Amino acid sequence: MSTTWIRKADWVVAYDAAADRHVYLRDADVVFRDGTLIHVGRGYAGAADTIVDGTDRLILPGFVNIHAHPTSEPLLRGLTEEHKSRKLGMSTLYEYTVLVGRSNYTTTLAESQAARDNPQIYQDDGARSAAFRMAAWEMLKSGVTTLVDYSPNRANWIDEVLGTGMRVCLAPSFRSGYWYTPNGHEVLYEFDEAAGRRAFDEAVRLLDTVAAHPSDRIFGMMAPGQIDTCKPDLLQDARDAALERGLPMTLHAAQSVVEFREMVRRHGKTPIEWLESIGLLAPNFIIGHAIFIDEHSWIEWPEKRDLARIAESGSHVAHCPHNFVRGGVVLQHFGKYRRAGVNIGLGTDSYPHNFVDEMRWAAVMGKVAARDVGATKVEDVFYAGTVGGAKALQRDDIGRLAPGCRADIVVVDCRHPMMQPLRDPLRSLIFSALERPITDVYVDGHLVVQGGEVLTVDVSKAGEELTAGQQRALLRVPDKDWAKRTADQAFPLALDTVDSLPATDLHQ
Ligand SMILES: [Zn+2]
């Protein structure tokens, strides 16, 4: 047994369970024994093996990232920030995301490894691994201690996530089919239900392995891919398997205009209405991203029932603003969802995996979408990034600093220039400093970031491998693109590149 005492921290963001909210505590002690918090408050009188001086420090609960695809999204940096389909509702999904990395994950691990020459299926292991390490590094730097890794199954998944020192929810994705566009303005689907079933069976086996694993830093979630790529019987079987095992479940739904129209075309129902009709909405269910509900201004559906459907069912929303707002797509709006009784957790979804930045986008876009400064405040987005996410994952022992909870802790240097003048440290962190003053991060009582350095990831190696992996992926773009464009044609750089400038003579 080893006890660590963060002594007399200037600021502690503690959790008031009775009020279900975070509060500032001044000059307080945070003490943990092995992986468990044993004291949060003033006047700790016990012993400790390690004492950490809390002077000029802000102590926060570790952040809970409930929606991310770390093995693929980092490969898209420099490609999809502004390349979205203007004829497909400003989404990047159907025409661009599929060009890099794996676009078909209806298959099992063995089937995808056997299909190394098929660019639709094969996932480059080196690129995938580099992407994961880069994402983990960014998340740890920004205070994420719990990550939902929503990815196709991969060999060595458990060892890889444990190696980061993070707490990770493995969410192995599977689906009945996949989408493609033959022309950049129409989305079609190809289904192989038997392959989707095999991938589902493999996901269930992995989730059972995770549940039996001795490490308490991993847990699992049922994670079919998307509402429009999964047949209803697969979704219902996944729900039953999740409920039998007491697991949360997630699904991409109401994430694009194309998908909304497709679900109406197939069923005459909005995506949320259809989920309700097949019995998916439930307290263990997390909807990523629930943007295009019936009352979204880009949809103009005649009824406005979706928000109540989500709230009354106790389902949660994984809100990932940054990736969407780059395409002009905004949740309408955070404050309204919360007032309707919907629990919201935050995710990074795509790059960057900077969680403090994600909280800033959530706060700002919540105000923009509501046209009201008071609609979404720092307190609201900080709650979503911690307790809200934990609730969605069915956990009451993370995302908060309270005795009995896991020792997942973020230490912020209040002397950092971006925190000056120091009056309201949480607002300064989210609106000004972002991840820069974060010095130390503990997961389960273990230091994984120290003095601003991530101890568990060699980031320069990850960066080199990520660059090489992206270059390999870009060579395959013409095979996948409907127009057979090269990578440079599909993803033009932000500026034209020239060999020389026109001649000018300053003396003329
Ligand atoms: Zn996603």
Side-chain angles (χ1 to χ4, degrees):
M1 303 276 266
S2 171
T3 303
T4 302
W5 176 5
I6 303 175
R7 187 162 65 187
K8 227 173 172 209
D10 276 10
W11 301 81
V12 174
V13 171
Y15 181 63
D16 175 350
D20 185 25
R21 63 188 299 207
H22 293 296
V23 291
Y24 281 137
L25 271 179
R26 303 299 309 271
D27 303 318
D29 299 311
V30 175
V31 187
F32 52 92
R33 183 169 299 142
D34 295 334
T36 307
L37 287 161
I38 60 169
H39 179 94
V40 179
R42 286 189 183 164
Y44 176 69
D49 304 289
T50 305
I51 294 178
V52 178
D53 183 9
T55 309
D56 296 319
R57 293 290 180 269
L58 161 69
I59 311 299
L60 305 174
F63 303 134
V64 181
N65 184 349
I66 67 165
H67 188 108
H69 312 289
T71 60
S72 55
E73 294 292 324
L75 284 161
L76 294 163
R77 180 144 43 207
L79 299 172
T80 54
E81 289 88 349
E82 295 179 297
H83 293 114
K84 319 270 179 188
S85 302
R86 297 171 76 198
K87 295 179 180 176
L88 295 171
M90 309 299 162
S91 177
T92 198
L93 292 172
Y94 310 102
E95 188 177 6
Y96 293 109
T97 301
V98 294
L99 296 183
V100 177
R102 182 175 167 180
S103 52
N104 175 359
Y105 45 94
T106 56
T107 52
T108 64
L109 194 57
E111 286 163 353
S112 93
Q113 281 167 347
R116 287 190 169 249
D117 294 330
N118 184 344
Q120 298 300 322
I121 295 176
Y122 176 58
Q123 192 175 22
D124 178 330
D125 287 344
R128 180 202 54 70
S129 162
F132 175 78
R133 283 175 280 137
M134 178 58 76
W137 179 83
E138 285 185 74
M139 284 190 257
L140 284 168
K141 284 280 282 184
S142 64
V144 173
T145 53
T146 298
L147 156 69
V148 171
D149 182 350
Y150 191 177
S151 301
N153 192 14
R154 58 189 193 260
N156 81 332
W157 194 345
I158 291 174
D159 290 342
E160 185 173 50
V161 300
L162 286 175
T164 64
M166 300 176 83
R167 191 180 301 288
V168 179
C169 174
L170 282 74
S173 53
F174 53 88
R175 53 188 185 177
S176 316
Y178 59 98
W179 54 53
Y180 65 98
T181 176
N183 49 27
H185 57 81
E186 180 184 23
V187 174
L188 301 174
Y189 296 80
E190 194 158 299
F191 288 94
D192 181 346
E193 293 188 53
R197 282 278 163 187
R198 291 194 294 274
F200 166 58
D201 292 342
E202 185 174 88
V204 172
R205 285 196 296 277
L206 177 70
L207 291 171
D208 287 342
T209 303
V210 168
H213 195 280
S215 173
D216 144 270
R217 276 197 293 109
I218 53 172
F219 58 113
M221 173 150 71
M222 191 63 71
Q226 299 88 14
I227 187 173
D228 46 341
T229 60
C230 292
K231 294 287 183 174
D233 60 310
L234 184 69
L235 291 175
Q236 288 168 323
D237 288 352
R239 171 202 60 198
D240 293 347
L243 291 175
E244 269 168 36
R245 290 164 175 77
L247 296 176
M249 172 163 164
T250 195
L251 178 73
H252 291 90
Q255 67 165 339
S256 75
V257 174
V258 166
E259 174 226 289
F260 188 101
R261 299 291 176 214
E262 176 67 16
M263 298 312 286
V264 171
R265 188 190 69 75
R266 290 184 200 171
H267 308 290
K269 293 183 166 69
T270 76
I272 301 299
E273 183 181 12
W274 185 71
L275 287 174
E276 180 186 56
S277 75
I278 64 165
L280 264 282
L281 298 183
N284 76 328
F285 191 63
I286 305 171
I287 309 167
H289 302 275
I291 295 170
F292 292 104
I293 62 171
D294 51 18
E295 61 189 280
H296 194 279
S297 62
W298 290 12
I299 297 295
E300 293 295 354
W301 194 248
E303 293 174 353
K304 293 178 172 48
R305 281 276 303 139
D306 281 349
L307 207 46
R309 288 184 175 107
I310 300 170
E312 286 163 14
S313 69
S315 302
H316 313 267
V317 169
H319 179 44
C320 310
H322 189 178
N323 189 27
F324 287 90
V325 300
R326 290 196 293 243
V329 173
V330 183
L331 184 89
Q332 295 174 339
H333 55 82
F334 189 111
K336 189 175 191 179
Y337 280 46
R338 289 293 292 129
R339 276 203 307 280
V342 176
N343 179 52
I344 298 177
L346 297 183
T348 47
D349 200 14
S350 186
Y351 62 89
H353 291 89
N354 184 329
F355 203 80
V356 189
D357 190 36
E358 204 67 44
M359 287 195 281
R360 180 197 282 184
W361 282 108
V364 171
M365 293 315 300
K367 297 174 196 294
V368 170
R371 303 181 191 185
D372 177 0
V373 66
T376 307
K377 296 179 174 174
V378 159
E379 179 179 0
D380 305 317
V381 298
F382 191 81
Y383 180 95
T386 52
V387 179
K391 282 184 178 176
L393 299 178
Q394 321 274 301
R395 300 216 29 171
D396 58 8
D397 62 341
I398 56 175
R400 67 205 74 188
L401 295 182
C405 292
R406 308 311 302 161
D408 295 355
I409 298 167
V410 175
V411 180
V412 178
D413 178 8
C414 295
R415 293 167 309 184
H416 191 284
M418 300 295 285
M419 297 291 283
Q420 309 309 317
L422 186 76
R423 178 167 182 277
D424 189 336
L426 220 43
R427 285 206 176 102
S428 294
L429 185 80
I430 290 175
F431 286 117
S432 295
L434 299 179
E435 86 293 355
R436 288 170 286 220
I438 293 177
T439 57
D440 300 278
V441 177
Y442 296 85
V443 180
D444 225 41
H446 293 284
L447 259 183
V448 285
V449 179
Q450 185 172 30
E453 296 296 319
V454 177
L455 303 177
T456 51
V457 179
D458 180 345
V459 70
S460 53
K461 186 162 179 282
E464 283 170 21
E465 291 175 17
L466 188 62
T467 298
Q470 188 189 61
Q471 285 167 353
R472 289 194 299 277
L474 293 181
L475 295 176
R476 296 163 83 98
V477 165
D479 293 338
K480 298 184 174 188
D481 184 45
W482 64 269
K484 303 296 170 207
R485 289 171 290 189
T486 65
D488 284 346
Q489 290 165 339
F491 301 106
L493 299 181
L495 303 178
D496 284 346
T497 305
V498 299
D499 292 327
S500 62
L501 294 171
T504 54
D505 186 346
L506 289 177
H507 301 290
Q508 264 180 359

